[in-house]
Amino acid sequence: MRKNPYVPFKAAIRGIRRETGDVSTFLLEPESGLPPGAPGQFNMVGYPGVGEAPISLSRVPMEGSDLLEHTIRAVGRVTYFLSAFRQGDEIFLRGPFGRGWPVNEAGGKHLVLISGGLGLAPIRPVIQMSDKLQARRITLLHGARDPGSVIFKTEFRHWRKKGIDVRLTVDEPGGGWRHHAGMVTEIVRELQIRPAETVAFICGPEIMMRFAADELFLKDVPGSSVYVSPERRMRCGMGLCGHCQHGVWFVCKDGPVFSYPELKGYPDALF
Amino acid sequence: MNGENTSQKNYEILISRQQLASWVEGLRENFQLIGPVGVKDEAEFREVFSFDEINPGYRSTMLPPGKTFLLKPEEEILSFDITPEGPVAKEPPLPHQKRVLFGVHACDTHAILYLDKVFLGAFPDPLYRARRENTLIISLNCRAVTEFCFCHLVGAGPFLKAQSGYDVLLTDMDGEFLVELKSERARKLFRIEGRPPEEKDWKRKEEMELELLKSFSKDFRADGLREVFLSRPDHPALRETAEGRCLSCANCVMVCPTCFCHDIYDETRVSRTGIKRMRRWDACQDYSFARVHGGNFRQERQARLRQFVFHKLDYEGQFGVKGTVGCGRCIRWCPTGIDLTEIAKEMMK
Amino acid sequence: MPFSSGEKWRPRAGFFKFSCCTGCGFELAYFQRSLEDTLKSFDFAFFRLASSSGDFDSLLDLALVEGTVTEPFQAVELKKIRKNSAVLYAVGSCAIAGGIPAIKAGGLELEIEKRAYQKKLYRLTSIRPSVLGDYVKVDGCVRGCPPGRHDLEEALVSVLLDRKPEFIEYSVCVECKMKGNICLLVDEGLPCMGPVTNAGCGALCPSCHRACYSCFGLMGQANIPALKDKFRQLGLSGEEIERRFTLFDGLKLKK
Amino acid sequence: MKIKIDYLGRVEGEAGVEFEIRGGKLRRLRINIWEPPRFFEGMLVGRSFDEVPDIVARICGICPVSHMVTSIRAIEKAIGFEPDENVLLARKIMSYSQIASSHLVHLVMLALPDYYGRSSFMELLPGEEALLKKFIRLKDVFNGITAAFGGGRALHPVSMVVGGFTALPDEGRIRGLRSGLPAAGEDMMDVFKTVSALELPDLKTDSELVALSEEGGYAVNKGRISSDMGLDGEEEDYERLFHEKEVPYSNAKKTAVRGRGALMVGALSRVSLHPDRLSESARKLALESGLAGKNKNPFYNIRAQAVEIVHFTEECRALLDKVQSGTALPKLRPKEGEGAALTEAPRGLLYHRYAVDRRGVVRKADIVTPTAHNYLGIEENLRRLIENNIDKPAERIRLLAEALIRAYDPCFSCSVH
């Protein structure tokens, strides 16, 4: 981290992979000094004159490579602007910020990863380091709106090869869809687990996280083994600007990953 | 003679108003002097050029001194030059103006300590830190309270009990001033011969505080609030106040000495020759404050009002202290007189 | 890249006027501080106030439209402008909320017309005042009468940088407090519209000891009944209160 | 041959012109002011007297100060209030700086391109960079003065209200405004040279020159009605002296001098009727520019505007030395009554008249604007101009016609209101 935490790092775009109509993954090479970050953490990504937006790392630098990835949907002011960028352009990063997934807790456990839509992006680094987790078993449950909006499509095969049980579902199946159709909660329900030996990381729309967690609780998974990563408006990423406050928490610095009981009961959220 | 005791003794001195005036004015040689000017609740903190401009008996100000002078309403936190290689970040020069904030009441001193927790935490804010280090804080115990004050209920006044984090504590002892030096730099700056306070003086001070405590009119029970808040977030007291009276104007937040929230935005002119990254006081009462693409976590007026009330009266888990210092400004300056202590009382019923 | 490359893109812009004082046009062409840069940065394909040539049917990167729709032909023109423009911003209180021309909508319109014309009345084609948003999709609102500095510049820059605009959405009180003005409503009981009015002016009126008269229009989160209650408590009559809320926002309140 | 200009550019508001030339004769000339009516006179009824200035300011985006000052004076007469001397000084500063600013817009942005054969002043670049820079500097000076006295903005100012000003700038601010004027004077002389070097078309007219007249000064915010044909009266006499008529093909009304006919108001009328009341240097420039002595060629209006900018720059300087900062606004009590006021707006004579009831609610409003005063004359003189040039090519006639209308600096938004 630089002395002045507001000064961003430049990062060169080394590649752009189109995931869906409006989602792209940027392969980035930051200038030296940017700390690598951990799964579940995020960077403030932006460009001068436009602003910054919190975007989670969809790949953390590892094994001698400084490259990191951000998967971005072009919807907000910053993300829409960045969607026009090309390979070779530079963007600006600050971070990484926040508390990531408690990957150490997966050791010896059944790690259940549940994601909806773009929520797979912050989960992906966990999968990429699955060899190191020493989890007994890893299951990925991923839901999307329709087959066209499934991100990281080409990687599922590779993940399965690594021994990860990947189960997909879409709300609106189209022709040729060979996986489950329906809400992600439905495939959570079908899951066979031993509650005391399970740890779950959930990321997606708030309502999906809540229902997915509820399914796990019905299976007697303790709340403290369920982790969620909510989204909030953020301007600084460091617990100063106050926008992301939720109850006593600053989602940016105390989270974005929280155990379910930490969030439970605060108003203005679905937990 | 025990050296430590001697110096300890010298940390507390009684001096005349005249002596205080000449000391404070003398500080102007090296410091910009900011003090309360004006009467009643409409006094304001601004630069003064002689001690006579200051009203040590002021009751309150609309804008709090700490937030106004340490976290300016609006300022540039970064700029970008446009070069052929793209934008290049430039840090603004750190503020070097040495300042005295004179006459900061107990509540406002506590508010500064609160802001310290935010801006000098894990990610110290360079501009705040520079201003904080350059600012000598001379606190002043209140001699009168307003009908809006409730510092006594939240442990922030009316007399200042904090022992550090500021420089000098003054108490107006009916003409004489009791000076308590609370920092090393204050000890170095204060070289006035005065009378050491005696037992009776301390007693008098205590009596003054007890006297003052009788003049508060606000009363509510702060403990046990948390359970009520969390179990009844849509309590009618909140809902009815929000719908019937809350204007979403954000005056409460603007005048709050502990409300630290700010927006960060880029200012770009049509010329596109440079960019200023600005910060500006922001408020949870604004519609867009908690909005993200595809949703607004506090879409309803009630949710926004609740955020303010809960953050002030509860959520101690955030920094270990309450978000309020009981200055009562949010009540005083609410156009429809919304009173968070009344809401709390209603909810506790 | 919007900043780095040598060749400069000059977006094609159009400025259109419906029923209004042309103040927004003057603000853009004369009063605002970025005048020179605006002229150099944009290619104005249509701007009657500034040019006697110009192509109404030109395809545009940016259409700025001022004025209230009070004639049928304006609605037709507006739809055409919308079709031709990538981005369309409503500029000024008239286009956004009806503004002063919409005061008429609050009364008996024929009576009001009669007071201005006697003989010509049957030749008039005026319709009930309405805002741009009633006819077309508006991409953003540059509020004010005349438009505020920040939002006007934001509108222009958003097109130059090809990014979404971020217009001011908070109350005048926010700007007023930041200036340190002692509150006129609380302290002096003046019927100030600041708490419900969208900021952007820089709290001009309260800064010169005048109650805000809401020329920037009501903000999105305005609590109108609550401020009306407050005004009643200050002793204002129902008529006086109505007048304050219908000076620039007659149409919004009708709905 | 039919010539039709549907939408006249570079004027304030919306109007078109059409005429036919057949057999060497001009037929069917009409200026159709199709600017949509907003019915100000209708909607003012029922509003409170203290809202009127803010509402009428919105008649026009370039001369809001004139509408405000005129309505304020009319209402003050109606409720029987007389403001103090300092308020009158401040109002003069508002009007003078606004006229200078409005003239500047007309000279550089609206009229000048006609003489360069361009369609907009943006096209004067590159080549006239220096002129543009001076224009921007001058605009900042004059707008700065209007804004400082108007409570922060020059367009639709806020601090000028019935009874006076809610606040006036402090002394430091006034000194700052004043210090910008000498440099503005120099810039203005350069603009003046540019304008006076333009070759103006010849046109003899017999419009009656009408302007306010005030002893010992150059009348702007008040005065007696005067003309080169002996018209004389108080503002209360206005309706006796002038006559307003509705026109089927236009949303603006036409005003005439009762019993006589077309009149001309504006800078040219003011300067050529009362050159002796101008500041010394402005008077000298007026004489050199052929403006004194009842000049009735409307094309000379732009020279008269340039002279007036010089005059008002100097007048502002003098007034800024005199005006006091700070103000106490009296509490006004409404009272039943009627009041009329006449002022000189940038484009000429402006008339407002109001009747208010005992609660201060407007019961009747009447507004006649400079362009309504000029309307008849513009049409008549346009006819004359075309007849004088009837053998010229159509395009030339069209450009001449546009240039003439623009020379009047018409404001169609005002004329319809």
Side-chain angles (χ1 to χ4, degrees):
Chain A
M1 187 62 59
R2 286 192 169 147
K3 229 167 80 192
N4 185 333
Y6 292 110
V7 178
F9 291 85
K10 284 186 181 183
I13 300 174
R14 290 289 168 244
I16 300 175
R17 201 173 48 248
R18 181 83 164 257
E19 302 288 349
T20 73
D22 58 358
V23 179
S24 296
T25 296
F26 290 72
L27 184 65
L28 299 169
E29 182 182 349
E31 62 178 308
S32 61
L34 186 80
Q41 283 194 305
F42 66 94
N43 281 317
M44 294 301 290
V45 179
Y47 202 83
V50 182
E52 298 178 317
I55 311 281
S56 55
L57 286 152
S58 59
R59 169 202 164 92
V60 296
M62 53 189 174
E63 281 142 23
S65 158
D66 288 339
L67 297 183
L68 58 94
E69 287 182 12
H70 281 298
T71 302
I72 298 171
R73 167 169 287 143
V75 284
R77 171 160 142 138
V78 174
T79 52
Y80 171 80
F81 181 78
L82 294 179
S83 67
F85 279 52
R86 299 285 163 259
Q87 189 169 335
D89 290 342
E90 283 179 327
I91 64 172
F92 289 72
L93 303 178
R94 282 190 304 122
F97 292 118
R99 181 173 69 166
W101 302 109
V103 286
N104 292 334
E105 288 196 19
K109 296 255 181 77
H110 177 190
L111 177 61
V112 180
L113 305 168
I114 308 174
S115 62
L118 209 53
L120 182 54
I123 299 270
R124 183 167 170 252
V126 179
I127 302 170
Q128 287 170 337
M129 66 182 298
S130 60
D131 317 342
K132 302 192 191 99
L133 296 178
Q134 290 167 339
R136 192 170 49 76
R137 195 181 145 198
I138 300 179
T139 308
L140 169 67
L141 309 174
H142 177 64
R145 198 181 58 239
D146 52 53
S149 53
V150 178
I151 58 174
F152 308 132
K153 258 183 228 124
T154 55
E155 299 175 34
F156 296 130
R157 181 196 299 261
H158 178 64
W159 294 348
R160 287 198 176 100
K161 254 189 222 156
K162 286 169 64 163
I164 296 168
D165 176 9
V166 180
R167 305 184 192 183
L168 304 175
T169 181
V170 293
D171 300 343
E172 303 158 18
W177 180 252
R178 290 172 295 129
H179 307 276
H180 191 273
M183 309 260 277
V184 73
T185 44
E186 293 170 20
I187 54 173
V188 179
R189 198 173 303 144
E190 289 164 11
L191 196 65
Q192 299 290 322
I193 50 169
R194 280 182 265 174
E197 291 165 31
T198 299
V199 59
F201 299 169
I202 315 178
C203 188
E206 201 144 299
I207 187 143
M208 167 260 159
M209 291 197 281
R210 189 235 163 118
F211 286 135
D214 282 349
E215 290 295 338
L216 294 174
F217 299 150
L218 284 174
K219 294 179 189 295
D220 294 325
V221 177
S224 56
S225 299
V226 175
Y227 292 86
V228 292
S229 179
E231 181 197 13
R232 285 293 183 278
R233 189 182 183 94
M234 292 176 194
R235 290 301 206 210
C236 70
M238 308 180 284
L240 307 182
C241 82
H243 285 82
C244 68
Q245 285 178 94
H246 178 59
V248 300
W249 307 117
F250 289 88
V251 172
C252 65
K253 75 176 169 73
D254 302 321
V257 173
F258 292 95
S259 78
Y260 204 88
E262 287 175 318
L263 297 183
K264 190 149 177 55
Y266 286 118
D268 309 326
L270 296 165
F271 303 110
Chain B
M1 217 186 346
N2 186 318
E4 205 184 325
N5 267 349
T6 317
S7 57
Q8 186 71 44
K9 220 171 173 184
N10 288 342
Y11 295 166
E12 291 141 0
I13 309 125
L14 269 161
I15 58 171
S16 69
R17 186 194 155 99
Q18 194 44 49
Q19 283 176 301
L20 176 68
S22 62
W23 178 63
V24 171
E25 279 179 16
L27 290 173
R28 284 194 55 235
E29 220 174 281
N30 298 310
F31 295 86
Q32 183 192 34
L33 178 59
I34 310 284
V37 179
V39 291
K40 292 208 219 154
D41 320 343
E42 296 100 46
E44 63 169 329
F45 276 88
R46 62 169 149 89
E47 181 169 14
V48 293
F49 302 93
S50 90
F51 189 78
D52 289 340
E53 289 177 61
I54 293 175
N55 173 12
Y58 84 104
R59 294 198 309 185
S60 181
T61 56
M62 185 182 75
L63 291 184
K67 180 162 123 178
T68 309
F69 289 95
L70 298 171
L71 176 70
K72 300 205 318 190
E74 190 171 30
E75 70 177 314
E76 181 187 316
I77 53 170
L78 210 61
S79 65
F80 294 92
D81 287 340
I82 303 304
T83 74
E85 286 77 45
V88 175
K90 226 169 67 184
E91 296 178 48
L94 288 177
H96 59 273
Q97 174 77 59
K98 286 200 173 300
R99 254 190 202 142
V100 174
L101 269 185
F102 179 89
V104 183
H105 282 165
C107 55
D108 286 335
T109 308
H110 274 285
I112 292 171
L113 301 181
Y114 185 91
L115 293 180
D116 287 350
K117 290 178 198 287
V118 180
F119 291 102
L120 302 178
F123 297 93
D125 180 87
L127 295 169
Y128 181 90
R129 182 164 62 188
R131 275 198 204 99
R132 184 71 169 92
E133 282 168 0
N134 287 327
T135 304
L136 194 75
I137 294 169
I138 301 182
S139 299
L140 173 69
N141 281 327
C142 288
R143 290 301 311 274
V145 303
T146 75
E147 57 185 296
F148 311 102
C149 294
F150 58 95
C151 57
H152 66 305
L153 300 174
V154 295
F159 276 24
L160 184 55
K161 298 288 158 45
Q163 290 303 316
S164 62
Y166 62 106
D167 299 281
V168 180
L169 176 59
L170 299 175
T171 312
D172 184 348
M173 310 279 280
D174 306 314
E176 272 183 317
F177 279 86
L178 172 64
V179 181
E180 298 173 59
L181 303 173
K182 301 289 185 183
S183 74
E184 196 50 48
R185 60 179 173 182
R187 280 162 218 147
K188 283 198 183 116
L189 281 166
F190 194 82
R191 296 254 174 272
I192 310 283
E193 291 291 321
R195 172 170 80 80
E198 299 162 32
E199 193 56 36
K200 67 170 171 53
D201 298 313
W202 293 114
K203 216 165 156 211
R204 172 77 192 114
K205 186 184 170 192
E206 220 177 288
E207 282 164 11
M208 277 165 43
E209 187 179 10
L210 287 172
E211 196 77 11
L212 202 55
L213 279 166
K214 285 184 208 152
S215 51
F216 282 90
S217 49
K218 297 265 169 239
D219 188 22
F220 74 98
R221 210 154 41 85
D223 31 286
L225 269 175
R226 123 146 286 171
E227 288 67 39
V228 185
F229 278 166
L230 292 187
S231 61
R232 302 206 57 191
D234 53 353
H235 192 283
L238 272 171
R239 199 178 56 238
E240 281 158 22
T241 310
E243 284 164 13
R245 286 161 70 198
C246 178
L247 299 165
S248 295
C249 62
N251 276 322
C252 47
V253 171
M254 289 290 124
V255 299
C256 176
T258 58
C259 275
F260 55 85
C261 288
H262 55 267
D263 198 12
I264 296 176
Y265 61 97
D266 286 6
E267 211 177 74
T268 316
R269 305 255 330 244
V270 176
S271 60
R272 286 162 291 160
T273 47
I275 291 144
K276 286 180 181 170
R277 187 155 284 177
M278 308 290 293
R279 78 162 147 223
R280 173 190 73 76
W281 292 356
D282 201 355
C284 52
Q285 301 310 298
D286 290 337
Y287 182 73
S288 59
F289 187 83
R291 188 167 60 195
V292 295
H293 177 79
N296 187 340
F297 290 96
R298 288 190 276 276
Q299 171 120 22
E300 285 173 29
R301 206 186 306 283
Q302 180 195 337
R304 299 197 294 274
L305 177 64
R306 180 177 56 218
Q307 171 65 17
F308 178 75
V309 176
F310 284 22
H311 196 196
K312 296 298 123 182
L313 297 183
D314 183 29
Y315 294 169
E316 264 169 78
Q318 191 169 60
F319 293 113
V321 290
K322 277 199 193 309
T324 181
V325 292
C327 72
R329 285 186 178 91
C330 56
I331 312 170
R332 167 71 173 101
W333 298 102
C334 174
T336 58
I338 296 175
D339 182 339
L340 74 175
T341 69
E342 289 297 324
I343 293 176
K345 259 158 79 178
E346 275 295 306
M347 290 183 72
M348 294 289 281
K349 264 186 194 165
Chain C
M1 257 343 63
F3 296 110
S4 51
S5 70
E7 99 265 18
K8 276 215 169 161
W9 179 54
R10 281 180 87 219
R12 207 183 303 162
F15 192 94
F16 302 87
K17 167 196 175 324
F18 294 135
S19 300
C20 64
C21 75
T22 329
C24 301
F26 276 117
E27 184 70 33
L28 183 69
Y30 181 66
F31 285 97
Q32 53 123 345
R33 57 182 180 155
S34 300
L35 178 57
E36 203 178 339
D37 296 321
T38 305
L39 297 178
K40 286 176 180 163
S41 303
F42 287 88
D43 166 19
F44 280 95
F46 188 88
F47 194 173
R48 281 288 182 206
L49 179 62
S51 171
S52 52
S53 64
D55 176 11
F56 182 88
D57 298 308
S58 171
L59 293 180
L60 300 172
D61 299 297
L62 169 66
L64 299 169
V65 186
E66 67 170 338
T68 313
V69 175
T70 69
E71 300 277 339
F73 77 86
Q74 293 172 333
V76 176
E77 284 188 2
L78 176 58
K79 285 178 186 161
K80 210 175 206 178
I81 296 164
R82 172 74 272 188
K83 229 173 92 189
N84 289 343
S85 312
V87 173
L88 186 154
Y89 293 140
V91 185
S93 296
C94 294
I96 297 161
I100 293 288
I103 291 177
K104 178 174 172 254
L108 296 165
E109 294 199 50
L110 190 64
E111 280 302 309
I112 289 170
E113 290 181 8
K114 266 190 208 158
R115 286 184 207 126
Y117 295 94
Q118 284 82 46
K119 294 205 188 83
K120 202 185 144 53
L121 207 54
Y122 70 97
R123 285 177 186 266
L124 293 178
T125 50
S126 296
I127 51 171
R128 184 182 177 73
S130 52
V131 299
L132 305 190
D134 288 349
Y135 293 98
V136 296
K137 177 177 167 271
V138 170
D139 299 310
C141 292
V142 185
R143 287 161 171 281
C145 181
R149 206 179 243 193
H150 172 273
D151 280 3
L152 187 60
E153 193 131 6
E154 177 67 11
L156 299 171
V157 170
S158 74
V159 173
L160 291 171
L161 300 189
D162 191 20
R163 63 151 163 78
K164 294 180 180 182
E166 215 159 57
F167 295 121
I168 293 172
E169 291 180 285
Y170 44 84
S171 76
V172 169
C173 297
V174 171
E175 286 181 337
C176 200
K177 288 290 163 300
M178 284 171 57
K179 281 182 140 185
N181 296 326
I182 294 290
C183 181
L184 295 174
L185 176 55
V186 171
D187 207 53
E188 300 188 31
L190 295 182
C192 183
M193 292 287 285
V196 293
T197 300
N198 208 93
C201 61
L204 288 184
C205 287
S207 303
C208 64
H209 203 263
R210 183 184 171 176
C212 165
Y213 64 97
S214 206
C215 66
F216 272 55
L218 296 170
M219 61 174 178
Q221 69 265 35
N223 191 342
I224 296 162
L227 191 61
K228 283 185 175 174
D229 274 350
K230 171 70 185 175
F231 284 179
R232 244 187 302 277
Q233 287 160 25
L234 293 176
L236 271 70
S237 72
E239 225 175 276
E240 286 170 317
I241 294 169
E242 272 322 289
R243 276 202 291 265
R244 281 187 165 70
F245 281 84
T246 53
L247 198 52
F248 286 88
D249 263 292
L251 288 179
K252 202 187 256 173
L253 290 166
K254 281 262 145 175
K255 279 178 188 164
Chain D
M1 174 182 66
K2 206 167 173 177
I3 295 182
K4 204 167 166 216
I5 305 159
D6 288 332
Y7 195 151
L8 200 63
R10 277 188 286 121
V11 291
E12 216 272 28
E14 299 171 302
V17 187
E18 59 178 89
F19 51 88
E20 245 178 90
I21 297 173
R22 223 189 297 154
K25 282 227 153 59
L26 174 68
R27 290 158 199 267
R28 299 233 292 243
L29 172 98
R30 46 166 67 163
I31 298 174
N32 166 15
I33 303 180
W34 50 274
E35 171 87 25
R38 286 166 290 157
F39 308 99
F40 275 86
E41 285 140 326
M43 67 178 163
L44 280 165
V45 173
R47 306 301 299 196
S48 175
F49 74 100
D50 52 0
E51 289 180 306
V52 172
D54 299 326
I55 296 176
V56 297
R58 271 73 184 185
I59 289 174
C60 183
I62 196 67
C63 63
V65 169
S66 298
H67 284 284
M68 293 178 90
V69 168
T70 317
S71 66
I72 287 172
R73 276 199 45 237
I75 285 167
E76 285 174 349
K77 277 167 81 176
I79 64 170
F81 173 81
E82 267 184 54
D84 66 34
E85 194 56 35
N86 198 49
V87 166
L88 297 181
L89 286 181
R91 280 187 196 155
K92 277 187 184 166
I93 293 171
M94 291 290 285
S95 296
Y96 292 1
S97 56
Q98 179 212 244
I99 294 179
S101 159
S102 171
H103 282 356
L104 199 62
V105 173
H106 181 244
L107 289 179
V108 180
M109 275 176 56
L110 309 183
L112 210 55
D114 280 334
Y115 298 91
Y116 283 71
R118 301 288 160 81
S119 59
S120 87
F121 84 110
M122 302 173 254
E123 289 169 30
L124 300 180
L125 297 170
E128 294 289 352
E129 284 268 2
L131 178 68
L132 182 75
K133 290 245 185 287
K134 282 185 186 116
F135 169 68
I136 287 176
R137 276 209 302 262
L138 280 165
K139 124 192 151 65
D140 287 345
V141 169
F142 296 127
N143 289 346
I145 294 172
T146 322
F149 280 81
R153 67 184 180 204
L155 178 44
H156 302 331
V158 299
S159 61
M160 188 165 66
V161 295
V162 179
F165 287 78
T166 58
L168 285 170
D170 62 34
E171 271 169 43
R173 188 81 196 278
I174 294 175
R175 271 199 304 276
L177 296 171
R178 198 196 167 289
S179 68
L181 283 168
E186 283 168 34
D187 279 343
M188 189 50 221
M189 284 317 296
D190 293 335
V191 174
F192 187 88
K193 277 181 205 135
T194 307
V195 172
S196 56
L198 301 175
E199 202 182 314
L200 303 173
D202 193 36
L203 180 66
K204 285 195 175 50
T205 77
D206 46 20
S207 296
E208 183 167 353
L209 301 174
V210 179
L212 293 182
S213 136
E214 196 182 14
E215 279 309 313
Y218 193 74
V220 171
N221 280 355
K222 101 189 232 265
R224 286 183 75 80
I225 300 165
S226 72
S227 85
D228 65 326
M229 290 163 74
L231 209 60
D232 180 53
E234 305 280 345
E235 34 199 19
E236 280 73 21
D237 300 327
Y238 177 86
E239 275 157 56
R240 188 171 57 76
L241 298 174
F242 298 92
H243 167 70
E244 198 184 34
K245 206 175 102 186
E246 289 178 21
V247 190
Y249 58 81
S250 165
N251 290 336
K253 299 171 195 172
K254 283 182 184 167
T255 302
V257 181
R258 267 189 208 276
R260 285 210 282 268
L263 63 151
M264 177 153 59
V265 299
L268 181 59
S269 297
R270 290 191 292 254
V271 170
S272 64
L273 275 178
H274 303 295
D276 48 317
R277 309 249 166 95
L278 289 165
S279 74
E280 205 178 304
S281 51
R283 184 166 59 235
K284 225 174 108 224
L285 292 172
L287 295 173
E288 284 167 13
S289 318
L291 291 167
K294 323 283 183 268
N295 185 322
K296 293 197 180 194
N297 179 353
F299 285 107
Y300 275 67
N301 192 37
I302 57 170
R303 279 197 198 170
Q305 288 180 324
V307 167
E308 279 197 338
I309 300 179
V310 173
H311 169 78
F312 287 127
T313 309
E314 287 172 21
E315 284 292 293
C316 278
R317 216 148 109 183
L319 290 180
L320 287 172
D321 284 337
K322 267 206 264 182
V323 75
Q324 305 286 311
S325 67
T327 182
L329 190 67
K331 178 107 182 117
L332 296 176
R333 284 187 192 290
K335 179 177 133 248
E336 188 175 342
E338 268 194 68
L342 272 171
T343 65
E344 285 288 345
R347 290 153 192 78
L349 210 59
L350 173 63
Y351 178 68
H352 281 235
R353 187 168 139 247
Y354 299 96
V356 299
D357 68 14
R358 63 187 170 78
R359 290 175 306 142
V361 175
V362 175
R363 288 297 158 216
K364 200 168 179 309
D366 193 14
I367 298 163
V368 187
T369 66
T371 300
H373 287 121
N374 276 331
Y375 191 2
L376 189 61
I378 299 177
E379 256 185 16
E380 279 184 9
N381 296 332
L382 184 59
R383 178 168 298 125
R384 199 175 294 229
L385 178 74
I386 296 167
E387 279 166 352
N388 291 350
N389 293 280
I390 203 116
D391 47 351
K392 302 254 164 63
E395 182 59 15
R396 173 77 190 137
I397 294 178
R398 192 181 65 82
L399 288 175
L400 265 176
E402 284 196 23
L404 176 68
I405 297 172
R406 265 181 221 120
Y408 276 92
D409 188 9
C411 174
F412 298 120
S413 295
C414 278
S415 74
V416 177
H417 61 269

